[in-house]
Amino acid sequence: TDSDMETVRVRENIVTVKAFVVRDGRLLCIQNDKGRWDVPGGRIDCPEPIFDALRREIREELGVEIASIDADHPWVWDWQFESKTRPLTQNIVGIGWPCTLASDDIRPDPVENVAHAWCTATEIRSLSMHEGHRVGYLRWMELRGLT
């Protein structure tokens, strides 16, 4: 019977690309329409090249272009997410690069993102953010003396 069947847990790997944009020792963060904060970036669309994905995500989320990507200094971290509402486990790999923007005229996508802020490490510790990302961002900031 259906009640005797074990629920199959879906497992998926996700790679996200992130832009680490720093101004005056503060990391650029954005807030989505659900109140969650993050660093701008997102998932790679297969078969999209990795830097094309990063440029697309920044254009979509911030309304500006990336001026430069420090491709020689990527930061990689990973974490696992277990959904409490669905039979889903995600292994998330984040890859971030220091970037500069072509313009300071940041205009978050009003559908996807409602706000942006330049955050200190202390402020990031208190934001509503996925803990796995927070740990990766804070470690990156610590290694660059931004704590």
Side-chain angles (χ1 to χ4, degrees):
T1 66
D2 287 339
S3 62
D4 294 334
M5 293 181 66
E6 184 178 325
T7 302
V8 175
R9 191 149 193 88
V10 175
R11 300 181 189 283
E12 62 182 5
N13 291 308
I14 295 172
V15 176
T16 64
V17 292
K18 301 291 182 176
F20 293 141
V21 182
V22 175
R23 183 190 311 169
D24 300 324
R26 295 170 177 259
L27 183 63
L28 178 61
C29 295
I30 55 174
Q31 184 183 36
N32 69 20
D33 61 350
K34 296 173 183 70
R36 286 274 193 172
W37 287 88
D38 202 349
V39 168
R43 296 182 187 191
I44 301 169
D45 293 337
C46 189
E48 188 175 37
I50 201 163
F51 290 136
D52 289 356
L54 184 62
R55 286 185 178 91
R56 175 186 50 77
E57 286 288 346
I58 299 316
R59 188 179 314 112
E60 290 173 1
E61 293 184 357
L62 302 179
V64 298
E65 298 294 325
I66 291 177
S68 68
I69 300 170
D70 183 354
D72 294 333
H73 296 97
W75 176 248
V76 180
W77 72 102
D78 69 326
W79 55 288
Q80 196 170 74
F81 170 76
E82 298 275 345
S83 175
K84 293 178 176 71
T85 59
R86 298 178 294 153
L88 173 67
T89 300
Q90 294 175 322
N91 185 55
I92 300 165
V93 176
I95 310 170
W97 291 269
C99 294
T100 58
L101 302 178
S103 169
D104 288 335
D105 188 21
I106 296 171
R107 298 179 190 192
D109 175 348
V111 174
E112 212 177 302
N113 301 298
V114 297
H116 72 280
W118 296 93
C119 300
T120 64
T122 299
E123 291 165 332
I124 288 173
R125 286 184 185 92
S126 66
L127 293 177
S128 174
M129 177 182 284
H130 285 293
E131 193 59 30
H133 280 314
R134 182 192 330 271
V135 168
Y137 303 153
L138 289 172
R139 183 69 177 134
W140 181 83
M141 291 178 81
E142 176 187 339
L143 291 172
R144 278 142 193 87
L146 300 173
T147 56

